Amino acid sequence: MDEIKLKGIVANKVGDIIKGTAYVDPYCENFPDDFDNLILVCKRVSFENIKDLTNFKAIITSYGGVLSHAAMLLRELNVPCIVAVEKADTIIKNSDKLILDFNKGVIKIRR
């Protein structure tokens, strides 16, 4: 099993480690019917899909920072997130197994 590590900025920490399955939707346009155990991977989030964002176990964005729109929005919704993970939406693939370490801002990808 291959393992890849990416690093980002922890924008909202809700626990130390979160494990789940990647759901990659770069522009947050097509959310699944079943959110069970899914971690959203996207370029950035917006208010358009605010009601669905709370259904994901966590969110990873390729852009943003601690004071970005995504970070503030997800903190308010109490959704765990790591932002500024460069190229996350192209490196991470649907169904990859993810382990998010909120102490270090590290994402482990297992294929």
Side-chain angles (χ1 to χ4, degrees):
M1 182 176 278
D2 292 335
E3 183 174 279
I4 301 167
K5 289 184 184 180
L6 301 176
K7 181 121 173 77
I9 300 168
V10 175
N12 193 36
K13 179 180 176 184
V14 181
D16 295 326
I17 303 288
I18 292 180
K19 297 177 183 180
T21 303
Y23 181 80
V24 182
D25 186 356
Y27 299 100
C28 294
E29 297 173 325
N30 302 302
F31 288 150
D33 294 327
D34 182 10
F35 292 86
D36 188 42
N37 204 39
L38 293 181
I39 297 172
L40 174 63
V41 182
C42 58
K43 291 183 184 297
R44 57 179 57 92
V45 296
S46 70
F47 282 113
E48 295 169 5
N49 302 15
I50 194 169
K51 67 178 181 63
D52 292 320
L53 297 177
T54 58
N55 293 320
F56 288 99
K57 200 166 186 181
I59 296 177
I60 299 166
T61 67
S62 295
Y63 300 109
V66 176
L67 297 176
S68 69
H69 177 253
M72 291 187 287
L73 176 63
L74 296 171
R75 275 194 298 274
E76 187 64 28
L77 296 172
N78 202 33
V79 176
C81 67
I82 299 178
V83 298
V85 183
E86 191 173 336
K87 298 182 182 179
D89 60 297
T90 56
I91 295 171
I92 299 172
K93 305 297 181 200
N94 274 324
S95 300
D96 281 349
K97 301 303 176 199
L98 304 178
I99 301 171
L100 284 59
D101 183 337
F102 284 88
N103 294 313
K104 299 176 183 175
V106 171
I107 299 158
K108 293 180 184 175
I109 306 163
R110 293 191 175 157
R111 297 193 167 130

